[in-house]
Amino acid sequence: MKLARMEAPRNLVRSVEKPVVLVVAARTTERMRSEAESVLGLASVYYSSELAEGQLDEILPRVDVMMILGWPKFLKSSENLAKMKRLRLIQSVLAGVDYMPFRVIPDTVMICSNRGGFTNAVAEHAWSLILASGKTTNLQYDKLKRGEVSRGYQTGLASDMKLLEGSIFGVVGLGSIGKHAARIARAFGMQIYGVTRSGVTDFPCEFIGDTISLPRLLTSSDILLLAAPLTRQTRQMIRERELKMMKEDAVLVNIARADLVDQRGIYEHLRNHPNFRYATDVWWTGRDGEELFAPAYPFFELPNFLGTPHTSGPLAFMKGRAFANALENVARYLKREKVNNLVNREDYI
Amino acid sequence: MKLARMEAPRNLVRSVEKPVVLVVAARTTERMRSEAESVLGLASVYYSSELAEGQLDEILPRVDVMMILGWPKFLKSSENLAKMKRLRLIQSVLAGVDYMPFRVIPDTVMICSNRGGFTNAVAEHAWSLILASGKTTNLQYDKLKRGEVSRGYQTGLASDMKLLEGSIFGVVGLGSIGKHAARIARAFGMQIYGVTRSGVTDFPCEFIGDTISLPRLLTSSDILLLAAPLTRQTRQMIRERELKMMKEDAVLVNIARADLVDQRGIYEHLRNHPNFRYATDVWWTGRDGEELFAPAYPFFELPNFLGTPHTSGPLAFMKGRAFANALENVARYLKREKVNNLVNREDYI
């Protein structure tokens, strides 16, 4: 380790130029610029949103590290990617990396997720959905606004509300987001049932198992939170069969990726089980891989559906640690330290 | 204590009849009846909703304990109250006792609040309002439903959302509800600033003071929760002057009593400070002392206002421990043990 730190970075040996970090984002905010100052001693930082016509072509062959918030449009054809001969690290600023075209990315390029950068914003968002749905906050306010609530009417409303203390909080995925959400559930006095890929966790749970134990979670949970990455194994993990195993009046909350859940399956289930609820921050994607806020079924007509337009991520980016966390990992690479959150491509291909 | 337990209850000495408990509620549910079985060995229990015409007159002179969820209509004139010569305990099933006409209740009658019976339901409700308002969940879903959210629009929405971790949770009143809400705030990674009547608490806070320290809470809090009883001292504690001391973008949440807050003051403040938010489960009362879900100002037109029609209480009654907790205190009285939550009338008169 000591030896490695004393060596000059590889790129400096080849030329006097600093390594190049390219940040690919639709906009460059003051906050991003100020956070990026932490790596300016180690690299030259360019922002795609600020490059003039033609400059991109000039820079691509010089880029060592690319930081992205979605797969860049200019890399949709493999031609430009082929130009990036010095590229060694793709650092995702989004938490998940499911959007990456793993097959076309050369094996010489490391891919890192942004684990930890979204923890507080996304776990807090999970709880906003759990409570809005579990306590019917939206429905109650809408009724109030329309003047539909008279005295004595509250008993009917309260019968649709969940009392969380003592009930079971199921969580699929106990990464940093799942754990933070579970820590909050504990403060509400809930029992925690978890499923992780490995079947183990350092979070104290009443029940923990691997994905084979999913049925146990489905049948037990009063609130079930999906907080797992979208991988080959987790895609469509919640379909008609799984939904039918759940309690009639369970609340299913998705803050991970829409494709963990079968769209048609959940729509039909909500229609046929008026006491079951689904609340989501994430949306099924269209052909271009981008989320569609108008789903294929009329979810918005269902009172037991609730959604927010994937605002947890932007919040982490604007007020949380999403970009700073990603930059810290890039700094590790530039200092030739071991990077965090290296992605195992086989989970996705 | 041992001696006291060996003595027969006073009422049994006078007659072979058991003491009489009268439960005054608009409806008697199966759950109430089953919970009341816990005191059937100690008393005869009557339910006002089940008494035929004329029976009330017959029972009033025999009632030892009255359990109420609001001041009974048949006691609005003092005539019937005068008939209740054996009445020794009024046990509120509601948490607060601010609705009682203290001046007309004889000094020989003990009055007990129902502290603890609402803790989980009301603290959970506080959090549903904090998150719905702080994360703009309702507004986001309304925009989605109307098809107003397109890609890239999320950044604007996220800028209105609070990131709770690291921010300051102020709480006025650290009774069982305030403490439970603060425990949850701690799990969100917030700092806790509290104000209590005594200026002390056993809850670990970053700041604690008595009501003289209220300005410190007002200026510091990102989220400010009102969880104090409505007393002579707390009535109208939040007026124009106090609101002006708060952060421009603070979230004020009321799960206690509407009259802690000046109605006109908060309305004007919300109109003039679009980033300030007020979320409430409690409503200002009309001439009959009952809450009006149509307030005197057009709050529903303001996007920075949010409300639920006092459903936290009914939830505690239906699924929580409100009635059971009140019954436990009544059982203490019937067993001649020391009752809990005895009200100091001077706080209210």
Side-chain angles (χ1 to χ4, degrees):
Chain A
M1 273 309 262
K2 266 199 170 165
L3 258 182
R5 256 191 241 152
M6 285 169 69
E7 284 180 337
R10 228 177 346 188
N11 297 322
L12 288 184
V13 175
R14 271 194 269 155
S15 90
V16 288
E17 268 180 64
K18 282 186 199 171
V20 168
V21 174
L22 176 64
V23 179
V24 186
R27 262 173 305 187
T28 309
T29 64
E30 273 316 304
R31 192 163 191 260
M32 285 166 74
R33 218 181 296 274
S34 125
E35 289 177 335
E37 281 175 16
S38 60
V39 298
L40 285 186
L42 304 162
S44 301
V45 179
Y46 294 92
Y47 300 93
S48 68
S49 65
E50 297 186 334
L51 296 177
E53 193 91 26
Q55 279 193 293
L56 188 68
D57 273 354
E58 200 181 295
I59 282 169
L60 287 183
R62 295 168 48 211
V63 172
D64 299 273
V65 176
M66 184 165 66
M67 298 180 74
I68 60 178
L69 292 91
W71 192 246
K73 283 213 178 95
F74 60 81
L75 294 180
K76 293 263 147 113
S77 81
S78 54
E79 210 175 291
N80 275 335
L81 189 60
K83 289 184 194 157
M84 301 183 79
K85 297 225 179 293
R86 282 177 62 169
L87 185 65
R88 291 295 171 271
L89 171 64
I90 297 178
Q91 172 63 54
S92 180
V93 182
L94 303 184
V97 294
D98 50 275
Y99 61 87
M100 296 212 193
F102 290 94
R103 287 173 201 285
V104 305
I105 302 170
D107 286 342
T108 50
V109 177
M110 293 190 293
I111 300 169
C112 290
S113 75
N114 193 10
R115 183 189 164 97
F118 290 78
T119 307
N120 51 15
V122 179
E124 291 178 11
H125 203 90
W127 271 97
S128 74
L129 292 174
I130 290 166
L131 287 166
S133 187
K135 300 286 187 182
T136 66
T137 318
N138 285 51
L139 295 176
Q140 288 188 36
Y141 188 51
D142 289 348
K143 278 186 204 290
L144 264 173
K145 253 181 148 165
R146 293 194 301 259
E148 289 173 14
V149 181
S150 53
R151 286 172 198 171
Y153 191 90
Q154 294 120 298
T155 307
L157 292 176
S159 69
D160 289 335
M161 291 165 70
K162 301 274 170 210
L163 190 69
L164 297 181
E165 188 171 303
S167 68
I168 293 180
F169 181 81
V171 53
V172 178
L174 275 162
S176 63
I177 293 168
K179 273 195 237 182
H180 190 30
R183 207 171 295 126
I184 295 165
R186 186 66 84 196
F188 274 96
M190 298 178 81
Q191 295 182 61
I192 319 290
Y193 282 35
V195 154
T196 64
R197 198 156 22 170
S198 62
V200 294
T201 178
D202 57 359
F203 189 88
C205 295
E206 272 75 17
F207 171 79
I208 184 78
D210 61 14
T211 43
I212 294 167
S213 317
L214 184 63
R216 173 85 187 269
L217 232 69
L218 295 170
T219 53
S220 311
S221 298
D222 297 294
I223 309 289
L224 182 62
L225 176 65
L226 303 179
L230 178 64
T231 65
R232 230 156 28 100
Q233 284 82 20
T234 62
R235 185 177 291 276
Q236 301 272 318
M237 69 186 294
I238 307 291
R239 290 151 303 174
E240 188 188 358
R241 195 176 69 103
E242 285 73 24
L243 292 166
K244 283 204 167 135
M245 297 172 78
M246 292 184 72
K247 292 184 180 176
E248 286 265 324
D249 63 349
V251 177
L252 178 64
V253 175
N254 194 349
I255 42 100
R257 287 292 179 267
D259 281 322
L260 298 177
V261 178
D262 175 53
Q263 183 169 189
R264 188 189 173 133
I266 185 70
Y267 176 75
E268 294 295 345
H269 194 77
L270 287 171
R271 253 173 47 110
N272 297 324
H273 300 81
N275 295 320
F276 188 94
R277 296 168 209 169
Y278 181 59
T280 188
D281 189 39
V282 289
W283 300 77
W284 294 279
T285 49
R287 279 191 194 150
D288 61 356
E290 302 241 17
E291 289 181 314
L292 295 175
F293 298 131
Y297 297 88
F299 282 93
F300 296 128
E301 291 172 9
L302 302 174
N304 49 347
F305 173 77
L306 180 72
T308 47
H310 211 158
T311 43
S312 61
L315 178 65
F317 193 70
M318 290 175 72
K319 303 184 184 178
R321 299 203 72 255
F323 194 53
N325 197 66
L327 281 164
E328 282 170 12
N329 210 31
V330 168
R332 266 179 219 109
Y333 171 77
L334 295 170
K335 290 190 265 185
R336 308 194 69 173
E337 293 171 7
K338 192 167 173 261
V339 295
N340 290 340
N341 310 325
L342 201 58
V343 168
N344 179 9
R345 295 176 183 222
E346 277 160 26
D347 289 338
Y348 296 88
I349 296 176
Chain B
M1 273 306 263
K2 266 200 170 166
L3 258 179
R5 257 192 238 153
M6 288 169 69
E7 285 179 339
R10 227 178 346 192
N11 297 322
L12 287 184
V13 175
R14 272 194 268 157
S15 91
V16 287
E17 269 180 65
K18 282 186 198 169
V20 168
V21 173
L22 177 64
V23 178
V24 186
R27 263 173 304 187
T28 310
T29 63
E30 274 317 303
R31 191 164 191 259
M32 285 165 73
R33 218 181 297 274
S34 128
E35 289 177 334
E37 280 175 18
S38 60
V39 299
L40 286 185
L42 305 162
S44 301
V45 178
Y46 295 92
Y47 300 92
S48 68
S49 64
E50 298 186 332
L51 296 177
E53 192 90 26
Q55 278 192 293
L56 188 68
D57 273 354
E58 200 182 294
I59 281 169
L60 286 181
R62 296 167 50 212
V63 172
D64 299 273
V65 176
M66 184 165 66
M67 298 179 74
I68 60 179
L69 292 90
W71 193 245
K73 283 214 177 95
F74 61 80
L75 294 180
K76 293 262 148 118
S77 82
S78 55
E79 210 174 290
N80 274 335
L81 189 60
K83 288 184 194 158
M84 301 183 79
K85 298 226 180 290
R86 282 178 63 170
L87 186 64
R88 291 297 171 269
L89 172 64
I90 297 177
Q91 172 64 54
S92 180
V93 183
L94 302 185
V97 295
D98 50 276
Y99 61 87
M100 295 211 193
F102 291 94
R103 288 173 200 285
V104 306
I105 302 170
D107 285 342
T108 49
V109 178
M110 293 190 294
I111 300 168
C112 289
S113 74
N114 192 11
R115 183 190 164 96
F118 290 78
T119 308
N120 51 15
V122 179
E124 291 177 10
H125 203 91
W127 272 97
S128 74
L129 292 174
I130 291 166
L131 287 167
S133 187
K135 300 286 187 182
T136 66
T137 318
N138 286 50
L139 296 176
Q140 288 189 35
Y141 187 51
D142 289 348
K143 278 186 204 290
L144 264 175
K145 253 181 147 163
R146 293 196 299 261
E148 288 174 14
V149 180
S150 53
R151 287 172 198 171
Y153 192 89
Q154 294 120 298
T155 307
L157 292 175
S159 70
D160 288 335
M161 292 166 70
K162 301 274 172 209
L163 190 70
L164 298 181
E165 189 172 301
S167 68
I168 293 180
F169 181 81
V171 54
V172 178
L174 276 162
S176 62
I177 293 168
K179 272 195 238 184
H180 190 30
R183 208 172 295 126
I184 295 165
R186 187 65 84 195
F188 274 97
M190 299 178 80
Q191 295 183 61
I192 319 291
Y193 281 36
V195 153
T196 65
R197 198 156 24 171
S198 62
V200 293
T201 179
D202 57 359
F203 189 88
C205 295
E206 273 75 16
F207 171 80
I208 184 76
D210 62 14
T211 43
I212 294 168
S213 317
L214 183 62
R216 173 85 187 268
L217 233 68
L218 295 170
T219 53
S220 311
S221 298
D222 296 294
I223 308 289
L224 182 62
L225 176 65
L226 303 178
L230 179 64
T231 65
R232 231 157 27 101
Q233 285 80 19
T234 62
R235 186 176 290 276
Q236 302 273 317
M237 68 187 295
I238 307 291
R239 292 152 300 174
E240 189 188 356
R241 195 176 68 103
E242 285 72 23
L243 292 166
K244 285 205 167 136
M245 296 173 77
M246 293 184 71
K247 292 185 179 176
E248 286 266 324
D249 63 349
V251 177
L252 178 65
V253 175
N254 193 348
I255 42 100
R257 288 292 178 267
D259 281 322
L260 298 177
V261 178
D262 175 53
Q263 182 169 190
R264 187 189 173 135
I266 185 69
Y267 175 75
E268 293 295 345
H269 194 76
L270 287 171
R271 253 173 46 112
N272 298 324
H273 301 80
N275 294 321
F276 189 95
R277 296 169 209 169
Y278 182 58
T280 187
D281 189 40
V282 290
W283 300 77
W284 294 279
T285 50
R287 280 193 192 148
D288 61 356
E290 302 241 16
E291 289 181 314
L292 295 175
F293 299 130
Y297 298 87
F299 282 91
F300 296 128
E301 292 172 9
L302 302 173
N304 48 348
F305 174 77
L306 180 72
T308 47
H310 211 158
T311 42
S312 61
L315 178 65
F317 193 69
M318 291 174 73
K319 303 185 184 178
R321 299 204 72 254
F323 194 54
N325 196 66
L327 281 163
E328 281 171 12
N329 210 31
V330 168
R332 267 177 219 110
Y333 172 77
L334 295 170
K335 290 190 266 185
R336 308 193 69 173
E337 294 171 5
K338 191 166 174 259
V339 295
N340 290 340
N341 310 325
L342 201 58
V343 168
N344 178 11
R345 296 177 185 221
E346 277 161 26
D347 289 337
Y348 295 89
I349 295 175

